[in-house]
Amino acid sequence: LAQTRPEMRVEVFHRLVPLTLAGFNWGTLITLLTGWLIYLHRFTSLGSQVFFNWPYGLAISVGGLLGTVMFLNGWFVMHPKQKVVIASATRVAEGGQPIPEAADCSRRVVLTSRTNLLLSIPMLFLMVAATHDPAMTVMSEQSAPVWFWLVVVVIIGAIEINTLAGLHGATKKPLETLAGPFAAGFGILAVFYLLIRTVL
């Protein structure tokens, strides 16, 4: 793309990229809504007392929370920043000056994308394990304690704060390479899985 004529690059940015991003965003919304409809159906069918006494219910709930955070990252962080980056690239392709904040927006998109990669690992595993792991099918006589949800929210909140608060610092280093999100994702997966197995 960098070796094509400027007018061709402008045409690509004006037509292809925004359309692709729009399709991706609406696709994630449909996925989120479908997932929550399935979740609510199972939750209401079983009732909260049964659902949260079941490792399956906890795994699906944590996975759904992770998926929701990923959706919010895409719609309210990545998409607005991507629009700035695209507008800046279009301006440069037309012979103008780049938008000053485009570099910071681009970096934010990369960090948020890698955060979503990190979160997708425990989300995907918990969704699959909830259905296929025999240990997840054993009903407990007690429901998950409040501290379980506090730990889950604190972990996810800390990851989000790291993504949203600033562009620099030591806490960003795990997101600088693809290896970092993979390692952190599997580490968080282990924590969540052990928590579920411990409380129920």
Side-chain angles (χ1 to χ4, degrees):
L1 184 61
Q3 297 177 349
T4 58
R5 297 190 306 276
E7 60 271 19
M8 187 177 294
R9 291 200 299 270
V10 171
E11 188 72 11
V12 169
F13 276 108
H14 273 303
R15 295 181 180 275
L16 182 60
V17 176
L19 182 63
T20 302
L21 291 177
F24 176 79
N25 283 333
W26 287 108
T28 59
L29 177 60
I30 293 170
T31 302
L32 179 80
L33 294 177
T34 303
W36 275 109
L37 284 174
I38 295 171
Y39 176 88
L40 291 173
H41 171 70
R42 293 181 179 176
F43 178 82
T44 54
S45 297
L46 295 169
S48 61
Q49 190 64 34
V50 173
F51 197 76
F52 293 117
N53 286 35
W54 195 11
Y56 168 90
L58 294 190
I60 289 294
S61 298
V62 175
L65 179 59
L66 291 167
T68 302
V69 171
M70 291 170 60
F71 166 80
L72 295 174
N73 280 342
W75 266 66
F76 298 106
V77 180
M78 294 172 63
H79 184 61
K81 302 298 182 185
Q82 286 169 329
K83 289 167 67 175
V84 175
V85 173
I86 291 169
S88 179
T90 301
R91 185 184 293 184
V92 171
E94 292 172 341
Q97 294 298 313
I99 298 173
E101 60 268 26
D104 284 346
C105 287
S106 178
R107 178 164 166 75
R108 181 80 70 187
V109 168
V110 171
L111 291 175
T112 308
S113 175
R114 288 181 178 168
T115 297
N116 274 6
L117 171 62
L118 184 161
L119 296 175
S120 71
I121 294 171
M123 181 207 70
L124 180 60
F125 183 88
L126 290 174
M127 293 292 191
V128 173
T131 305
H132 299 286
D133 184 353
M136 293 290 183
T137 63
V138 180
M139 190 70 66
S140 173
E141 295 182 359
Q142 61 183 12
S143 60
V146 174
W147 65 260
F148 168 83
W149 296 108
L150 289 176
V151 170
V152 170
V153 170
V154 166
I155 291 173
I156 297 174
I159 294 169
E160 274 301 289
I161 290 171
N162 182 53
T163 300
L164 301 176
L167 294 170
H168 306 288
T171 56
K172 299 299 178 203
K173 290 182 179 178
L175 300 177
E176 296 293 348
T177 64
L178 285 176
F182 276 109
F186 282 107
I188 292 167
L189 164 60
V191 171
F192 285 158
Y193 185 79
L194 290 174
L195 274 174
I196 293 171
R197 295 299 307 277
T198 300
V199 300
L200 292 182

